[in-house]
Amino acid sequence: MKAYRTILQVFDQHHSFALSTHVNPDGDALGSELALYSFLKDLGKQVKIFNTDAVPKNYTFLPFYDAILPAKAFQSDFPEILVVLDAGVLNRIGEDLSHTLIPTKAMVNIDHHNTAECFGDYNLVETDASSTSEIIYRLIQHHGTPIGKDRALCLYTGIMFDTGCFRYSNSTPNAHHVAADLIQEGIAVDEVYRAVYETLSVGTIRLLGEVFQTLGTTPDGKIGWLYVTQEMFRKTGTSHDNVDGFINHIRSIDTVEVAILVSEQKNGDSKASLRSKSFVDVGAIASVFGGGGHQRAAGCEIDKSCEEAIVQLVATIQQRMRDG
Ligand code: 5GP
Ligand code: MN
């Protein structure tokens, strides 16, 4: 609880804040960021949010989302405090922002990744929290400020997203207790689910059809993969934002322990997402390639083509499985 007190003191003693989160922001990144934004605003602070990537369309139902500014909006109004959310290493907020968004007083890191480097001057890192949103919930509770419906909507979205709708192993008793409290604020859980997951475009489903053609597995079926190319995005009028959730189809194969989804970047390099079911620590695998994440969900960038990236990832995972 001391860490919570320290962070609240930092908030109390300063006036201007910038918030940021990781590239390709997801439900937890945005939910935690927007709830903290609203909390700090209610404390009478000056707060701005700078994100490298825009808010995906399916998250524009979140309150305050239009407060999020693009990286280029950041000029010279340096904040006293920079709070980096849901990112275990600073450059996850984007190469440019990580160099320009420099606070005059201190950096605060709030995160739950088990590969977190605690790069802040103050760190609130809880690797057993389901999500950064769960940590923000506790922080606001600790302060004694009511959560309220708007912040509840943001935080519930974050917990729902990071627990895979309460299916993954991070769906702890705490995650459920916090979710129950948030629901009690009057949010409609069915509407949150529909907004996040049931607003796909026809192009996204066509993209899924293309991507399914790339399905591959190792002979023992323990590792499965899919990849998506820029050509597929072009053909279906989609982008990287639309691949969210595709990887779950591979993980749902009975024999699969590790699922890989590799996405071709505009420059030809690869972005890999990794998921595991029960025993392989994919956070450790991603770290080998300079990425990170959690035991069951992680990611990294590899400066190779999709096919080459898959070969390297599969070899590394097989080695880990052999070593136990
Ligand atoms: P996703 O596959 O959904 O993009 O990410 C899964 C998890 O791994 C998330 O918690 C995310 O923060 C983390 N992750 C994904 N890509 C990277 C990366 O390139 N570097 C690091 N450090 N973490 C990543
Ligand atoms: Mn998260």
Side-chain angles (χ1 to χ4, degrees):
M1 287 303 111
K2 192 167 161 288
Y4 283 83
R5 247 196 330 269
T6 307
I7 302 296
L8 288 173
Q9 263 165 15
V10 174
F11 290 173
D12 193 43
Q13 290 161 0
H14 296 89
H15 179 64
S16 68
F17 294 80
L19 313 184
S20 192
T21 189
H22 60 78
V23 293
N24 299 318
D26 56 27
D28 187 35
L30 296 168
S32 59
E33 199 176 40
L34 293 170
L36 181 63
Y37 168 83
S38 152
F39 171 66
L40 289 170
K41 286 294 256 191
D42 280 3
L43 295 183
K45 308 294 180 183
Q46 187 194 331
V47 198
K48 287 189 176 172
I49 310 177
F50 299 98
N51 285 357
T52 294
D53 293 313
V55 177
K57 233 173 68 213
N58 59 330
Y59 288 110
T60 52
F61 74 97
L62 289 173
F64 324 113
Y65 88 91
D66 50 1
I68 296 177
L69 302 170
K72 66 175 187 308
F74 178 75
Q75 284 165 345
S76 56
D77 51 349
F78 290 97
E80 290 174 311
I81 304 293
L82 168 64
V83 187
V84 177
L85 295 143
D86 203 40
V89 287
L90 182 58
N91 71 11
R92 285 280 289 146
I93 69 174
E95 198 61 31
D96 282 357
L97 265 188
S98 69
H99 288 115
T100 51
L101 192 47
I102 299 161
T104 57
K105 297 282 173 61
M107 180 129 67
V108 174
N109 180 213
I110 305 180
D111 188 34
H112 69 122
H113 291 96
N114 59 6
T115 52
E117 288 180 358
C118 294
F119 59 84
D121 302 297
Y122 301 94
N123 300 288
L124 181 51
V125 173
E126 297 190 337
T127 56
D128 56 355
S130 64
S131 52
T132 304
S133 295
E134 186 184 321
I135 303 174
I136 297 297
Y137 167 88
R138 272 198 284 279
L139 191 65
I140 298 173
Q141 285 284 75
H142 206 83
H143 185 263
T145 295
I147 297 285
K149 193 171 170 184
D150 281 344
R151 289 190 281 260
L153 186 54
C154 296
L155 297 172
Y156 179 84
T157 300
I159 298 174
M160 178 190 80
F161 180 85
D162 262 24
T163 58
C165 301
F166 303 94
R167 286 172 303 164
Y168 303 149
S169 55
N170 60 348
S171 309
T172 57
N174 272 337
H176 281 278
H177 283 305
V178 174
D181 259 12
L182 296 171
I183 295 167
Q184 224 134 31
E185 294 286 343
I187 60 173
V189 293
D190 56 332
E191 285 174 21
V192 179
Y193 179 84
R194 274 206 304 279
V196 175
Y197 295 107
E198 293 184 343
T199 49
L200 301 182
S201 63
V202 172
T204 302
I205 301 301
R206 289 198 209 287
L207 177 67
L208 185 60
E210 297 279 329
V211 172
F212 272 170
Q213 306 304 312
T214 70
L215 174 67
T217 67
T218 49
D220 61 8
K222 287 189 181 150
I223 307 172
W225 59 84
L226 293 173
Y227 64 86
V228 51
T229 61
Q230 288 291 324
E231 175 56 26
M232 293 177 197
F233 290 139
R234 261 194 301 278
K235 211 166 137 186
T236 56
T238 54
S239 71
H240 183 77
D241 281 353
N242 302 97
V243 303
D244 202 43
F246 285 12
I247 195 168
N248 296 332
H249 292 287
I250 324 170
R251 202 165 91 148
S252 66
I253 298 169
D254 57 356
T255 53
V256 163
E257 166 60 20
V258 181
I260 306 171
L261 181 114
V262 176
S263 179
E264 185 188 9
Q265 308 286 87
K266 289 202 176 94
N267 66 1
D269 289 353
S270 295
K271 167 81 209 176
S273 286
L274 305 172
R275 300 289 184 272
S276 64
K277 256 189 203 146
S278 61
F279 64 90
V280 172
D281 181 351
V282 288
I285 307 275
S287 297
V288 172
F289 295 90
H294 312 276
Q295 284 184 7
R296 302 281 166 264
C300 57
E301 288 170 28
I302 301 178
D303 58 357
K304 296 260 157 60
S305 71
C306 290
E307 274 113 331
E308 288 172 309
I310 288 168
V311 170
Q312 288 201 354
L313 283 162
V314 169
T316 308
I317 297 161
Q318 284 178 319
Q319 184 64 46
R320 286 280 163 139
M321 282 175 156
R322 272 196 298 273
D323 295 346

